[in-house]
Amino acid sequence: MATTIVSGGETSTRTGVERDWMAWALGIVVVLIAAMFLIYPLVNAALLAFVKNGEPVSVANLTFANFARFFTAASYQRALWNSMYSGVAATLLATALALPMAYAVARIDMPYRGLISAMTVVPLISPPFIGAYAWIILLGKNGTITQWVHAYIGWTLPAIYGPPGVILALALSYFPYVFLIVQGALAAADRHIEEAARMAGASRARILGTITLPLVLPAIAAAMLIVFIKSIGDFGVPSILGGEFQVLPTLIYYQIHGFFNLGAASAIAMVNVLLTLAAMATLAWIHRHRSFVTIGGTAEAAPRHTGLGARSFGNAYCWLVIVVAILPQIVIALASFAGRWPGTMLPESYTLDHYRAVWSQLTRPIANSLILAGGATALCVVFGTATAYASARDRLRARWALDLTIMLPFVLPGLVVGVAYLTAFNSGPLVLTGTALIIVLAYFTRRVAFVFRSVATAIAQIDPKLEDASTICGASWGTTMRRVLVPLAAPAILAGAILVFSTLIGEISATVLLYSAKWKTISVAIYELVLGDQLAQASAIGTITTVMTLLLVLIASRLAGKNMAELFR
Amino acid sequence: MADAALSVRNLTKEFAGRSGNVAAVRNVSFDVGGGEFFTMLGPSGCGKTTTLRMIAGLERATSGDIEVDGKDLRSVPPERRNIGMVFQSYALFPHLTVFENVAYGLRLRGRPRNEIDRRVAATLALLQLEALSGRHPANLSGGQQQRVSIARALVYEPTMLLLDEPLANLDAKLRVMMREEIRALQRRLGITTLYVTHDQEEATAVSDRLAVFDGGRLVQVGTPEEIYARPRTLFVADFIGRANFLPARLAAPGATAQGVVLADGTSLCPQRQVRLEAAEVASLPAAEDGTVMIRPEHVALSATDGEIACRVQRVQLLGGLIRYTVRSAASPEDILVEVTRPVSDVSEGGGAFLRIPREDAVLYHR
């Protein structure tokens, strides 16, 4: 009778690796990088909030003066209230738009379901502020739709500036998160559970209300919180469409660009972070109390409605939402080619002048964007993969600390990360202001979570016994990583990497605080053009950016073997 | 009421395949009497689950009739058929407690609160689940989830109980225990029960009658004893229990009554003769006229007596049985012999003799 080898849980053999110096070396480097560039800037910024502007950080100087402004200054209070108000409103609108769409794509037998899902990715990868000024073109004072409605219907539409525009633009940018997450949850539902309800006597409507919806409620809640977090951290949309409507991110920007009041900026950032953390805590609480894992379920999808009425309605609704959601991109594209466009439906004449004009100005910003994004991506890949391995293989005792360190900057507003880097490396042992490195590091901080999450999931699905088998055959830890793990995790690494790269091309929130004249990126170029009211040229660059990003994400998904929608879930 | 009689006639289910239609279920007909425990048995993909789901109403039949107590069910949606169903994966509602899971069907029927409480409590007691009433499915073991699943199906006193491979996800010992519990429960309640499984031992252990499916067709219906003793086709003989198959030629061409000659020259006149269906005839080699089937427990093994010389390849101890695997010229496959006591002077590697009693042998011929 053969003796069975003790097969443990998911951890690989410890004795072999712990003696391997290479693992240790990598571990130390990872900890150093995490400490210097993930933890230190944020902690430093947090401390600065408690010190008056210009004074050094020391126990004697601690004060709540910066925070006191929230009780004394009307602008602060308004910004806080506006952030919460627009965040909640955008979340509700996004959810209302996305839920029927998610149900339709998951449960109605519609043609082109895959195409609909793929199209929803477009708002996600286009930088939101690019879409924001499309709304100005459409619904601004001399906007196309405004003039059309006035001419043919006689109404005077309210201006798009201010809360309505901000909420609309935010909702349309972020509703795909709700769609993708909820649609995924509905599609993965165990069909037998709904069939069991049917056999017990429930009609289709009762099943929807008592079984289907309650089971996807956690997914809906999670998605709503993601939209909320992203909305209150968004800088681009409120800065372009807000007008007098200040929110916390624009207030931060104002404090820095107007007064260089780092203390005040940090304090506002802390409050924004508090809001984010409160939302995340709620999310974690929901997941803990209601994790409905339907393990042992079948692989067959739930049946779809096939009635003509359901299909027509589903199609009409989905395409309507998609058209409205990508309308900004279409408008931008049209505007980039428009000669004269005096408020008619379509431009009167077309021209390539705008592209010609920006072409000469474009080479530097594009090169800068590519270099900076590329550098940050490389850093993300190395660091992200190493930490993902550590996290997935449960080799660290304080795994939660690692997870938090990586995921926290991901959910923080870009502006907050910008502030943190600005303050951390403005003086002291390491001065990086105005360099390319500070931008690369800020990008790295904001996006490493993409690689981390993607690779950690992939590694968790790779049987640790493969590494054991390699070790028994005589391979060192480094060799096992190189020849076994990395090749198997490669699609996930690649997917994460291109996701990082493509979304960094259009990054504005952190860049706007950290760039120097030498290191202007595409997004800054667009931003400056918009502020200078040169919308046509901004549109040209914007269109190029969107198309480039879309192509990159398409390639990424092909290489990773998934469809685009799955990359973002 | 709970002992409804089921009648299935020419039930067919076709799916659109890549090259024309694929029939998952083909012209299946059978009757189930009130209070009967009826099992549909067969390998994966044989159509038994599809048939069950058509009776439940979860799949639409392409053609055929389904009647319960004389009433045609074809136009009745599943939620109105008042049938209880237990799924292989249990399919408990994860967001509801055990109590709420079981109460679900009663709530849908609009029963008053105290009646629901009473009936749920009674059903939980029936399945020894009273202590778990407030738990969620995620905190239950497989066996417990299984029982909640049954309780949920029974609480509203359905006309029939359908079970789709309910024990497949349990470990071996639990499987045996649960099948006895299900059987005892069914006997106690007297409810007409349709059971689907691929495990022939499970089927023969609990059923009043069985239906053997193969490739979408119903091959044989009968009690476990009938099917075991008188299997109608080679497939059924092989699927239920273990069987030895010995190729045979007719002693006198065209006359099966004269007996057959086995591959090693031995003459044999099997008492029972069964004509093969076209599909199984086609799989017979041209040189053979048929196959003799003899169960391992009927083969007589001896050190000295017997017509068929053989060599013992292996002797195995299986619980209360001793199995001898022997090789002979009578068949290209090894022959299995099972006895409860060791055969004297017969050991592994040694020679021995076999005798095939004619009263237990069955000839399947063209």
Side-chain angles (χ1 to χ4, degrees):
Chain A
M1 203 56 61
T3 48
T4 41
I5 300 170
V6 173
S7 55
E10 293 307 314
T11 56
S12 56
T13 52
R14 293 184 183 274
T15 48
V17 180
E18 271 163 14
R19 272 190 250 126
D20 200 309
W21 65 270
M22 197 163 158
W24 274 106
L26 194 57
I28 292 177
V29 169
V30 161
V31 169
L32 273 178
I33 293 183
M36 278 206 303
F37 299 114
L38 291 180
I39 302 179
Y40 167 60
L42 293 178
V43 169
N44 185 54
L47 288 176
L48 266 181
F50 294 95
V51 165
K52 279 223 186 61
N53 190 31
E55 294 183 18
V57 178
S58 76
V59 179
N61 287 333
L62 289 182
T63 166
F64 277 104
N66 291 322
F67 292 97
R69 297 272 209 93
F70 276 98
F71 295 100
T72 56
S75 62
Y76 275 58
Q77 289 168 342
R78 261 203 311 272
L80 179 58
W81 167 249
N82 288 344
S83 270
M84 292 199 290
Y85 163 55
S86 58
V88 169
T91 303
L92 291 176
L93 181 58
T95 308
L97 281 176
L99 279 188
M101 206 168 146
Y103 186 80
V105 171
R107 295 299 180 88
I108 298 183
D109 189 18
M110 297 191 318
Y112 303 118
R113 284 192 298 272
L115 185 59
I116 294 179
S117 289
M119 302 286 284
T120 58
V121 169
V122 174
L124 282 185
I125 56 181
S126 315
F129 73 95
I130 291 184
Y133 66 87
W135 290 113
I136 297 180
I137 297 179
L138 284 174
L139 289 167
K141 275 199 296 270
N142 292 322
T144 318
I145 298 184
T146 318
Q147 295 196 27
W148 189 86
V149 166
H150 187 77
Y152 290 101
I153 306 185
W155 288 342
T156 314
L157 285 180
I160 194 64
Y161 299 99
V166 169
I167 293 171
L168 179 68
L170 286 175
L172 287 176
S173 292
Y174 295 126
F175 86 90
Y177 281 114
V178 181
F179 166 76
L180 289 171
I181 292 175
V182 175
Q183 186 254 333
L186 283 173
D190 180 358
R191 78 180 293 184
H192 285 339
I193 293 183
E194 295 185 11
E195 284 180 347
R198 246 185 131 187
M199 294 310 299
S203 64
R204 278 237 165 81
R206 280 301 271 270
I207 296 180
L208 188 61
T210 56
I211 307 290
T212 317
L213 273 183
L215 286 181
V216 295
L217 220 48
I220 297 178
M224 285 176 76
L225 282 163
I226 290 179
V227 173
F228 178 76
I229 291 173
K230 288 211 171 282
S231 296
I232 62 173
D234 193 289
F235 165 74
V237 166
S239 81
I240 291 180
L241 278 180
E244 301 293 321
F245 186 71
Q246 283 267 31
V247 290
L248 292 177
T250 51
L251 194 62
I252 294 176
Y253 182 74
Y254 183 61
Q255 285 294 325
I256 298 214
H257 259 240
F259 308 109
F260 208 70
N261 189 339
L262 295 179
S266 298
I268 303 168
M270 285 304 115
V271 173
N272 197 320
V273 169
L274 270 174
L275 274 183
T276 305
L277 285 179
M280 283 180 72
T282 318
L283 179 61
W285 180 83
I286 288 182
H287 271 162
R288 201 159 42 87
H289 278 247
R290 284 167 144 261
S291 60
F292 299 142
V293 187
T294 54
I295 301 183
T298 53
E300 309 150 43
R304 296 174 178 276
H305 300 276
T306 48
L308 187 59
R311 293 172 64 176
S312 320
F313 178 75
N315 253 319
Y317 182 82
C318 288
W319 286 107
L320 183 63
V321 172
I322 287 188
V323 164
V324 174
I326 60 178
L327 198 57
Q329 274 72 33
I330 298 177
V331 167
I332 298 286
L334 278 178
S336 69
F337 288 110
R340 264 178 45 84
W341 199 357
T344 47
M345 278 286 281
L346 288 174
E348 273 184 4
S349 60
Y350 294 94
T351 171
L352 285 177
D353 284 345
H354 308 303
Y355 281 94
R356 274 192 272 267
V358 302
W359 206 252
S360 48
Q361 316 169 22
L362 254 191
T363 26
R364 268 284 33 191
I366 287 189
N368 288 343
S369 283
L370 290 175
I371 295 172
L372 295 171
T377 305
L379 198 52
C380 284
V381 164
V382 173
F383 186 86
T385 306
T387 46
Y389 178 79
S391 173
R393 288 288 178 252
D394 199 24
R395 304 190 56 73
L396 306 176
R397 252 170 248 286
R399 188 165 65 148
W400 63 270
L402 180 66
D403 291 355
L404 187 66
T405 307
I406 293 195
M407 297 302 293
L408 189 59
F410 180 59
V411 298
L412 292 182
L415 222 61
V416 171
V417 174
V419 168
Y421 267 76
L422 204 55
T423 55
F425 301 109
N426 197 37
S427 53
L430 199 58
V431 179
L432 294 174
T433 344
T435 63
L437 192 55
I438 197 175
I439 302 182
V440 169
L441 288 170
Y443 283 179
F444 156 71
T445 306
R446 288 205 70 198
R447 293 286 192 260
V448 67
F450 269 151
V451 177
F452 176 77
R453 203 166 58 121
S454 169
V455 177
T457 309
I459 293 183
Q461 290 168 357
I462 300 175
D463 191 345
K465 297 197 181 52
L466 292 180
E467 295 162 55
D468 293 348
S470 172
T471 308
I472 300 266
C473 284
S476 68
W477 182 79
T479 308
T480 301
M481 289 299 107
R482 195 164 42 89
R483 304 190 87 196
V484 177
L485 197 83
V486 169
L488 286 174
I493 299 177
L494 198 54
I498 299 194
L499 218 55
V500 168
F501 187 75
S502 56
T503 53
L504 278 178
I505 304 275
E507 209 281 338
I508 180 76
S509 307
T511 321
V512 78
L513 289 178
L514 297 172
Y515 78 96
S516 61
K518 227 173 35 137
W519 288 103
K520 238 190 266 196
T521 65
I522 297 182
S523 52
V524 171
I526 299 177
Y527 191 59
E528 285 184 343
L529 285 170
V530 171
L531 289 184
D533 214 19
Q534 292 181 287
L535 293 185
Q537 294 187 11
S539 304
I541 307 186
T543 308
I544 296 178
T545 312
T546 305
V547 170
M548 206 163 56
T549 314
L550 200 57
L551 277 175
L552 284 171
V553 173
L554 200 58
I555 298 175
S557 51
R558 285 278 173 277
L559 284 171
K562 306 180 196 209
N563 59 48
M564 284 207 290
E566 283 179 302
L567 274 178
F568 281 89
R569 261 199 219 117
Chain B
M1 258 241 311
D3 57 347
L6 169 73
S7 170
V8 172
R9 287 277 165 278
N10 294 322
L11 203 56
T12 301
K13 174 74 181 174
E14 282 175 6
F15 294 105
R18 233 168 292 150
S19 43
N21 284 345
V22 174
V25 175
R26 243 187 280 246
N27 274 324
V28 166
S29 303
F30 59 85
D31 292 301
V32 180
E36 201 178 359
F37 196 121
F38 188 86
T39 297
M40 294 190 283
L41 170 69
S44 317
C46 66
K48 56 196 192 295
T49 297
T50 310
T51 304
L52 190 78
R53 286 171 64 87
M54 283 194 278
I55 295 171
L58 296 172
E59 303 272 0
R60 234 205 169 85
T62 310
S63 63
D65 294 310
I66 302 174
E67 279 183 9
V68 171
D69 282 339
K71 251 188 43 186
D72 181 20
L73 277 192
R74 291 289 306 279
S75 56
V76 181
E79 55 266 26
R80 288 215 213 298
R81 294 192 185 191
N82 202 30
I83 293 178
M85 183 150 176
V86 177
F87 293 82
Q88 180 178 344
S89 59
Y90 320 133
L92 298 180
F93 307 131
H95 57 306
L96 302 178
T97 61
V98 166
F99 186 93
E100 287 300 322
N101 261 280
V102 177
Y104 190 77
L106 291 178
R107 286 205 201 288
L108 286 170
R109 285 160 174 74
R111 311 309 305 160
R113 167 90 170 269
N114 49 4
E115 184 186 328
I116 295 182
D117 288 346
R118 188 176 42 83
R119 287 169 74 174
V120 170
T123 311
L124 289 181
L126 192 61
L127 283 134
Q128 296 124 42
L129 291 168
E130 312 97 306
L132 303 173
S133 150
R135 283 210 211 161
H136 281 92
N139 298 328
L140 299 174
S141 71
Q144 290 165 338
Q145 289 185 31
Q146 169 61 271
R147 278 193 243 133
V148 175
S149 182
I150 297 174
R152 180 178 62 181
L154 288 176
V155 74
Y156 47 86
E157 283 165 29
T159 56
M160 277 197 299
L161 179 62
L162 307 183
L163 300 111
D164 185 4
E165 306 214 44
L167 307 180
N169 291 347
L170 301 175
D171 63 67
K173 252 199 154 67
L174 199 53
R175 228 180 288 159
V176 174
M177 202 184 82
M178 282 303 301
R179 79 183 187 212
E180 296 308 319
E181 273 194 37
I182 292 177
R183 170 65 179 179
L185 190 62
Q186 191 269 345
R187 271 261 156 286
R188 190 161 149 194
L189 298 175
I191 182 170
T192 310
T193 299
L194 245 70
Y195 193 93
V196 162
T197 180
H198 62 273
D199 183 340
Q200 53 92 21
E201 188 191 299
E202 188 173 294
T204 46
V206 300
S207 318
D208 289 329
R209 280 193 309 142
L210 314 174
V212 182
F213 280 71
D214 183 29
R217 279 190 216 285
L218 186 49
V219 180
Q220 186 170 358
V221 181
T223 65
E225 296 76 19
E226 283 168 8
I227 296 195
Y228 186 78
R230 283 180 292 285
R232 203 186 299 145
T233 68
L234 290 174
F235 169 79
V236 178
D238 194 23
F239 194 78
I240 312 280
R242 281 169 299 280
N244 293 302
F245 295 102
L246 311 175
R249 272 180 302 111
L250 288 176
T256 57
Q258 306 269 16
V260 295
V261 178
L262 299 178
D264 71 337
T266 312
S267 293
L268 183 60
C269 194
Q271 183 166 17
R272 279 195 60 228
Q273 281 131 26
V274 177
R275 176 168 247 123
L276 287 174
E277 290 173 9
E280 290 193 327
V281 168
S283 59
L284 265 188
E288 288 169 27
D289 296 318
T291 307
V292 172
M293 191 279 290
I294 182 87
R295 299 266 185 214
E297 64 269 23
H298 295 145
V299 178
L301 180 67
S302 157
T304 50
D305 300 317
E307 297 101 27
I308 303 175
C310 66
R311 180 154 301 279
V312 178
Q313 300 295 113
R314 203 145 169 230
V315 181
Q316 279 171 294
L317 185 61
L318 303 167
L321 280 180
I322 304 168
R323 179 188 288 163
Y324 293 86
T325 309
V326 308
R327 194 164 290 176
S328 72
S331 166
E333 304 281 329
D334 289 347
I335 296 179
L336 300 179
V337 182
E338 284 170 6
V339 291
T340 50
R341 287 185 206 291
V343 179
S344 45
D345 299 323
V346 172
S347 56
E348 206 167 289
F353 291 92
L354 298 176
R355 195 173 59 81
I356 314 273
R358 66 174 298 264
E359 37 309 341
D360 299 311
V362 183
L363 170 66
Y364 294 89
H365 63 92
R366 292 178 192 277

